[in-house]
Amino acid sequence: MVRCKACKEPIEWVKLSSGKLMPVNCQYVTVVTDGGEVVRGRTPHWATCPFAESFRKTGEDESEKAPA
């Protein structure tokens, strides 16, 4: 099982249609869209991780920003 480097919660990686990988929480959630459609999916991990800001790219050296 893969875990977030910062908060240690279990995550999975999903390949987006763009080809990029996105970390997501493992549990599925059900939501209703504004159009009334019921869909099932997963929450991006950056939406719930308390350390998400430390992984945002700002042009700095990533090794300097990662939490200890």
Side-chain angles (χ1 to χ4, degrees):
M1 175 184 316
V2 178
R3 292 191 176 269
C4 173
K5 291 178 183 180
C7 72
K8 309 301 184 212
E9 287 295 317
I11 61 171
E12 293 182 8
W13 292 90
V14 172
K15 190 177 224 177
L16 303 176
S17 57
S18 67
K20 292 183 177 184
L21 293 174
M22 176 187 284
V24 296
N25 295 336
C26 293
Q27 66 275 12
Y28 282 86
V29 294
T30 302
V31 298
V32 179
T33 67
D34 290 339
E37 183 181 3
V38 178
V39 295
R40 190 168 176 240
R42 292 190 272 185
T43 305
H45 185 63
W46 47 259
T48 60
C49 180
F51 303 103
E53 286 298 320
S54 68
F55 290 99
R56 299 221 191 276
K57 295 181 181 177
T58 62
E60 297 175 30
D61 181 357
E62 294 298 312
S63 64
E64 294 175 11
K65 296 192 319 175

